[in-house]
Amino acid sequence: MFIPTRAAGLEALAEFVPVAGPDYARDRNHDLGPSERAVSGLSPYLRHRLVTEHEVVAAVLDRHSLQAAEKFVQEVFWRTYWKGWLEQNPEVWRRYRREVDELAAGDAPAGLEAALAGQTGIEAMDAWVRELVDTGYLHNHVRMWFASIWIFTLELPWQLGADFFHRHLLDGDAASNTLSWRWVAGLQTRGKTYLASASNISRYTDGRFSPEGLATSARALDEEPLPPRTTVEPGDVDGTVGERAGLLVHEEDLEPASLLAEHPSLAGRLAAAAVSSDPAGRSPAGVSDAVAAFTSGAVADAAERTLDATGRGARVLSDAAPSTVVDWARSEGLDAIVVPLAPVGPVRERLDALRPVLASEGVALVTLRRRWDGVAWPHASRGFFPFRERIPELVRQL
Ligand SMILES: Cc1cc2nc3c(=O)[nH]c(=O)nc-3n(C[C@H](O)[C@H](O)[C@H](O)COP(=O)(O)OP(=O)(O)OC[C@H]3O[C@@H](n4cnc5c(N)ncnc54)[C@H](O)[C@@H]3O)c2cc1C
């Protein structure tokens, strides 16, 4: 269903643009099942930045007014908002990772195995598990129902549901996934939960499902208070590029052409280019074959589009281990490696571990942030609604 190339992402965007206005606003909450879709299906492309948020919003606003496409544009900005919020509250990600590790190391909670195998006896849940495993995708409304039933009906730890999503979603994303699960659980907007009901499910699945026995109340989960939020740094380039810099592209941002266009002083100076990825880092249990295949296909596609200053193509590194990156830097005689900024999540952790190893070799790690993130993220400090108010202004600016 999802071909992991930029060309396929752009084609999906072009097909979707005509219905991104009132049609989307009317139909977007309906889940028509795995073979039909009233939504864009762009998330695996956007999540890896095979296609960027900027391109998607620009293409839609080329065809529709902001008023007509308001709903769709807002949805794209939800992704930006979640990333910006997690950037300012990185402890939420670290805590989630610790809790998944602890839960995975302990005894499995009652009902977990049946839930993961799609054998809860709740027909809708079991069908969604199969759909997720088979396709690597679920409609947004289904994700909300799924998380709500997981937490409040099956009474399973939310972290293990989020981890299951992370292992199987082609668009598995630290910010959107973790924070959406927290939102359903009543942790994100403190005390406000999302309760799935049979009537809502029946209405928006056109009667395909009407599950019985769902929880009728949803008491918000609780947690230790979070530390004060950190601020988003102002500059879009972090580090100094020396004489011989190499570009290392990774799975958080696979469209280097537009990233470098925002930093023209670097564009002509890259002595070498490489790509690397490690999607298994998304979960202690690794990721499904489908996620691994989508990511490696996407990275291979990026390699074909990435050239150094002499026109040489990017090398696909065999893995993302620091020693592999160091070997590449040595073989190219690099004094700096330039990477797209990775938002809080597994790739950021990977780069944070790489930095001191490179430093000990005399190689600097320089990060480049997109203007989109630099402009929007600082506004994601509170709830989505004050952020949403700023969208027209952000669209104008960006
Ligand atoms: C429990 C739960 C877990 C989720 N996990 C992920 C995840 O791991 N990765 C991920 O990319 N999205 C996640 N989402 C958000 C959302 O469900 C998907 O982005 C969306 O379903 C993708 O389908 P689409 O591209 O057809 O969406 P469309 O409706 O066509 O939306 C267009 C784009 O807007 C963005 N978007 C839409 N809805 C949301 C949303 N609620 N939050 C953030 N961005 C949104 C996405 O980039 C999407 O591609 C999750 C939502 C929930 C409720």
Side-chain angles (χ1 to χ4, degrees):
M1 280 167 76
F2 296 98
I3 300 166
T5 63
R6 174 165 162 76
L10 290 174
E11 206 175 303
L13 172 61
E15 251 176 55
F16 175 72
V17 161
V19 294
D23 300 284
Y24 176 83
R26 186 188 59 230
D27 299 334
R28 72 190 181 95
N29 279 325
H30 290 264
D31 171 42
L32 311 173
S35 50
E36 239 185 300
R37 209 184 278 140
V39 288
S40 70
L42 284 170
S43 56
Y45 302 101
L46 278 165
R47 181 259 174 265
H48 296 93
R49 282 192 166 153
L50 279 168
V51 177
T52 66
E53 295 88 331
H54 187 274
E55 285 176 301
V56 169
V57 169
V60 165
L61 294 182
D62 219 27
R63 175 76 174 249
H64 307 275
S65 67
L66 179 56
Q67 199 187 9
E70 188 186 23
K71 266 286 154 215
F72 181 75
V73 172
Q74 278 173 7
E75 293 305 318
V76 176
F77 271 99
W78 262 110
R79 171 179 298 281
T80 307
Y81 168 76
W82 284 139
K83 280 169 122 176
W85 192 92
L86 194 60
E87 206 61 28
Q88 299 179 57
N89 297 275
E91 177 57 18
V92 167
W93 170 252
R94 291 194 283 264
R95 196 181 276 186
Y96 158 75
R97 292 282 265 198
R98 276 198 304 274
E99 289 167 351
V100 172
D101 283 343
E102 285 162 16
L103 286 160
D107 292 338
L112 177 68
E113 213 177 303
L116 297 177
Q119 290 170 355
T120 61
I122 302 172
E123 193 197 345
M125 270 306 259
D126 296 345
W128 294 329
V129 166
R130 282 193 298 278
E131 185 180 340
L132 172 61
V133 171
D134 290 350
T135 67
Y137 176 87
L138 288 176
H139 185 282
N140 181 60
H141 219 161
V142 173
R143 297 183 200 207
M144 290 163 62
W145 297 323
F146 188 115
S148 178
I149 296 172
W150 180 281
I151 299 167
F152 301 116
T153 299
L154 301 175
E155 297 182 352
L156 288 167
W158 72 268
Q159 298 91 335
L160 294 183
D163 182 58
F164 182 53
F165 269 23
H166 231 145
R167 280 187 270 146
H168 288 282
L169 283 171
L170 301 184
D171 62 29
D173 174 75
S176 289
N177 191 48
T178 316
L179 302 183
S180 297
W181 275 85
R182 284 172 54 85
W183 177 82
V184 171
L187 293 167
Q188 193 61 22
T189 309
R190 292 299 290 250
K192 187 177 172 295
T193 52
Y194 175 75
L195 182 65
S197 73
S199 59
N200 184 264
I201 294 173
S202 173
R203 177 173 170 202
Y204 286 103
T205 59
D206 294 343
R208 279 182 305 121
F209 298 113
S210 184
E212 283 173 15
L214 300 190
T216 50
S217 66
R219 212 158 60 129
L221 305 188
D222 209 358
E223 66 176 350
E224 292 291 309
L226 295 173
R229 66 184 168 85
T230 50
T231 44
V232 176
E233 296 300 326
D236 282 347
V237 180
D238 185 16
T240 311
V241 178
E243 289 299 306
R244 258 189 90 74
L247 174 69
L248 178 63
V249 174
H250 54 68
E251 67 267 39
E252 293 294 330
D253 195 322
L254 295 173
E255 217 294 274
S258 58
L259 177 66
L260 291 174
E262 289 184 10
H263 301 93
S265 63
L266 276 175
R269 291 180 52 194
L270 296 164
V275 296
S276 75
S277 67
D278 177 22
R282 291 176 200 175
S283 161
V287 289
S288 69
D289 290 348
V291 171
F294 185 90
T295 314
S296 65
V299 163
D301 177 67
E304 282 180 22
R305 289 179 280 105
T306 307
L307 305 176
D308 66 20
T310 64
R312 217 168 25 127
R315 188 186 303 176
V316 181
L317 301 186
S318 57
D319 57 59
S323 57
T324 308
V325 179
V326 166
D327 286 348
W328 170 65
R330 274 199 204 128
S331 71
E332 295 289 349
L334 303 178
D335 58 19
I337 291 183
V338 176
V339 290
L341 181 122
V344 169
V347 179
R348 168 78 66 86
E349 287 169 351
R350 193 167 93 210
L351 295 176
D352 284 347
L354 174 64
R355 182 174 286 104
V357 181
L358 286 177
S360 69
E361 295 280 322
V363 180
L365 188 69
V366 178
T367 56
L368 299 186
R369 185 171 60 187
R370 284 184 186 268
R371 200 167 154 258
W372 184 277
D373 299 335
V375 169
W377 284 357
H379 300 297
S381 56
R382 295 184 291 141
F384 181 70
F385 295 100
F387 181 82
R388 190 178 70 178
E389 301 292 298
R390 292 189 176 268
I391 291 177
E393 182 194 322
L394 289 172
V395 166
R396 262 193 302 278
Q397 242 180 305
L398 288 162

